[in-house]
Amino acid sequence: MLRPGGRLTFLTNGTILMLCEPDAEDELASDRLLRDYFGMHRFEWPGAPEVEFHLGYGDWIRLLRANGFEVEDLVELRPAAGAQPVPLFADIVALEWARRWPCEELWKARKRA
């Protein structure tokens, strides 16, 4: 439970990453759109038991507002100059890719009073 005025901060995979990430586990995100943006919701990967849920920007804003939140900020993360690949993402996205497009997004919202 979040009290009125409390802040909700969460990190999610970048929307562009989800649209450019191939189904094959051994392939990195490409510079081509492979999925539709509209209707984006449930993602299942071949051979993986996990299910991921991702929304477009407008859907995120509507969902947060419908649940009593005001969006304060959306930070699209980008590796700093000189950054080294992070093992967690090295099999999903190349460092050069992440310098061009955000692979993670940090959302900040506040619960309305």
Side-chain angles (χ1 to χ4, degrees):
M1 291 282 244
L2 201 59
R3 69 176 183 264
R7 178 180 274 172
L8 171 68
T9 302
F10 62 95
L11 184 69
T12 185
N13 288 343
T15 300
I16 296 172
L17 172 62
M18 299 314 300
L19 299 176
C20 295
E21 189 175 357
D23 287 337
E25 285 185 32
D26 60 342
E27 293 181 39
L28 298 177
S30 73
D31 62 353
R32 302 286 185 257
L33 297 174
L34 304 174
R35 293 183 180 77
D36 294 339
Y37 176 84
F38 295 109
M40 186 171 46
H41 185 70
R42 182 183 175 111
F43 288 78
E44 294 184 62
W45 307 105
E50 306 88 21
V51 175
E52 296 181 33
F53 294 90
H54 298 280
L55 301 173
Y57 300 113
D59 289 336
W60 267 123
I61 291 168
R62 284 184 287 279
L63 177 66
L64 290 165
R65 290 184 63 98
N67 287 281
F69 290 93
E70 294 295 331
V71 175
E72 293 185 333
D73 200 2
L74 168 59
V75 180
E76 297 157 314
L77 302 177
R78 182 181 195 185
Q84 298 299 310
V86 176
L88 175 65
F89 283 103
D91 59 346
I92 298 171
V93 62
L95 185 58
E96 296 76 28
W97 190 99
R99 287 194 172 117
R100 295 180 67 195
W101 303 289
C103 63
E104 293 182 303
E105 299 164 355
L106 177 68
W107 287 79
K108 298 177 186 179
R110 189 167 303 277
K111 185 76 169 169
R112 287 192 296 266

